[in-house]
Amino acid sequence: MTFEEILAWPIPVLITDVNRKVLYFNQNWLELYGATADEVINQQPSMMQSGFTARTIYQELNTSLKNSGAWSGVLINRHLTEKRFLVVALTIMRWVVEDQTVFVSLHQPLDRLCVDSAVSIGSLQTMEGIFLLSIAKIAEWNDPELENHVLRVSKFARWISEMMRDNGDIPDADVDLIEAASVVHDIGKAAVPKEILFKPGLLTDSERYHVKDHASIGSEMINTIYHQMQSFHNLYGKLFEYAMDSALTHHEWWNGNGYPNGLKESQIPIVGRVVALADVIDALLSDRPYKKKWPPSQVLTYIKNYSGLQFDPKIVDVVITNWDHRPIFVD
Ligand SMILES: [Fe+2]
Ligand SMILES: [Fe+2]
């Protein structure tokens, strides 16, 4: 394979020498980072570092490249001309190309995974929204059947929140917060063993306990990230608070029969009550390996039946009234 062939790949590619000096890149890579050729040639890839990737990740990257000549993972890089982060899934390989040993790195921006999807992401296109969406996407890698589930849930959550705002039940600012926070509701699934997540048939009690753990684990994960990122802490405290609540409380029931804490009625934060309904609407309207999607009329009946049991009756009322105007997604 020649350098020319590698650079013709349709994804952003960067090639450095063994001392990590930039040799080549393609147009996709320049566009991704907003760089010009003159600025990057002979430079070190460290110029893309945002300071927000944990030091241990770079240590792991260096050790892995030294030992096996390859590394894959996620880095929080920065755009070179605009003030924003680029969360990229990166694969680096040590190759011999045209008799020269080089590192070839492929950069896949996680937000593009979402932008390219069939769903528009509206207010999630802010930096903090994209950040949450990106970490939510990482959880989806563990559970591909959830593909785009979190995006659809966020659209249902926005739809419900807008109706509640119009009724004067929640402040306007909550609409964007609930939409952005809802994408991480299942982030804890990244920590549930795949054998359990994909197990066909019934789960044992202890396996079910593991799955239920995704609510507490998810909220812990967000808490950890939140406290490590000082600037997010100051600027987006409210969003992260909502994000933690969305992960922790989306399986609580209005009557107190949910998990993990058996909260009841208004003890459940508003974002948890909205996401609980959005989550179930999407799950029932989608095909899953173990079930076919339900017709919308049957989903509506389910929601009505569980009003005041699983769901906040006031939220159920606005959903029933506006059911015909719900977001529709093409498969
Ligand atoms: Fe969940
Ligand atoms: Fe979910």
Side-chain angles (χ1 to χ4, degrees):
M1 183 145 350
T2 64
F3 286 119
E4 206 182 318
E5 284 168 335
I6 297 171
L7 294 168
W9 288 343
I11 53 166
V13 183
L14 178 74
I15 302 176
T16 70
D17 67 11
V18 281
N19 298 315
R20 309 274 176 85
K21 212 162 70 175
V22 172
L23 297 176
Y24 308 105
F25 32 78
N26 59 11
Q27 193 55 33
N28 280 329
W29 188 87
L30 286 176
E31 277 166 21
L32 173 63
Y33 285 94
T36 60
D38 290 350
E39 279 169 349
V40 289
I41 196 86
N42 291 331
Q43 299 297 313
Q44 297 277 329
S46 53
M47 66 190 156
M48 288 106 68
Q49 289 180 7
S50 66
F52 284 96
T53 307
R55 209 172 287 267
T56 48
I57 302 216
Y58 290 113
Q59 287 162 355
E60 185 198 294
L61 180 158
N62 288 327
T63 314
S64 172
L65 284 183
K66 211 186 303 159
N67 296 341
S68 67
W71 180 81
S72 270
V74 174
L75 295 181
I76 305 170
N77 280 343
R78 68 183 183 91
H79 193 275
L80 293 174
T81 47
E82 291 164 22
K83 266 195 151 179
R84 62 183 170 93
F85 291 132
L86 282 169
V87 183
V88 282
L90 208 73
T91 299
I92 310 177
M93 302 158 293
R94 188 175 55 218
W95 279 1
V96 177
V97 183
E98 298 179 19
D99 293 332
Q100 190 180 356
T101 304
V102 292
F103 287 117
V104 176
S105 53
L106 314 176
H107 297 233
Q108 196 69 277
L110 295 185
D111 60 307
R112 192 170 295 175
L113 291 177
C114 315
V115 174
D116 286 349
S117 71
V119 189
S120 77
I121 55 173
S123 68
L124 293 174
Q125 267 165 330
T126 57
M127 183 184 70
E128 68 277 20
I130 285 178
F131 178 74
L132 287 182
L133 197 45
S134 302
I135 58 172
K137 282 271 158 188
I138 295 167
E140 269 184 11
W141 291 347
N142 199 32
D143 189 358
E145 83 174 56
L146 287 181
E147 214 189 330
N148 285 328
H149 164 69
V150 293
L151 271 172
R152 290 191 305 265
V153 168
S154 78
K155 288 295 140 200
F156 282 123
R158 182 176 188 90
W159 171 64
I160 295 170
S161 307
E162 281 174 349
M163 298 184 298
M164 292 171 73
R165 175 204 55 200
D166 295 348
N167 285 353
D169 293 333
I170 57 168
D172 187 40
D174 269 14
V175 175
D176 281 352
L177 285 169
I178 291 173
E179 178 188 16
S182 64
V183 296
V184 285
H185 72 274
D186 274 337
I187 182 85
K189 284 195 172 169
V192 179
K194 276 192 166 143
E195 314 81 81
I196 300 180
L197 226 41
F198 298 143
K199 186 180 167 184
L202 288 178
L203 298 177
T204 64
D205 280 350
S206 84
E207 287 167 341
R208 203 166 310 120
Y209 183 79
H210 255 302
V211 173
K212 284 186 169 183
D213 249 6
H214 80 271
S216 325
I217 292 172
S219 130
E220 262 315 302
M221 285 165 77
I222 298 160
N223 195 22
T224 306
I225 297 167
Y226 168 51
H227 281 103
Q228 278 171 359
M229 301 181 80
Q230 212 47 49
S231 70
F232 274 83
H233 194 136
N234 296 332
L235 286 169
Y236 306 118
K238 187 115 190 180
L239 174 64
F240 275 71
E241 190 189 300
Y242 272 52
M244 276 187 281
D245 282 344
S246 129
L248 186 64
T249 63
H250 71 280
H251 288 292
E252 297 288 1
W253 280 37
W254 180 253
N255 66 3
N257 283 350
Y259 64 85
N261 294 313
L263 300 182
K264 215 178 157 173
E265 301 182 7
S266 60
Q267 290 174 330
I268 309 167
I270 191 75
V271 62
R273 281 181 265 154
V274 171
V275 174
L277 191 48
D279 193 26
V280 168
I281 292 174
D282 184 62
L284 297 180
L285 286 174
S286 310
D287 280 332
R288 293 282 164 89
Y290 48 86
K291 74 157 211 10
K292 284 265 146 224
K293 58 179 161 205
W294 290 15
S297 58
Q298 198 181 337
V299 176
L300 189 60
T301 308
Y302 179 92
I303 295 169
K304 281 180 192 163
N305 289 344
Y306 281 85
S307 178
L309 302 171
Q310 185 173 0
F311 308 120
D312 178 344
K314 222 169 159 181
I315 302 182
V316 169
D317 282 348
V318 291
V319 166
I320 293 172
T321 313
N322 297 283
W323 182 245
D324 291 341
H325 303 291
R326 69 189 178 280
I328 306 281
F329 304 100
V330 276
D331 291 333

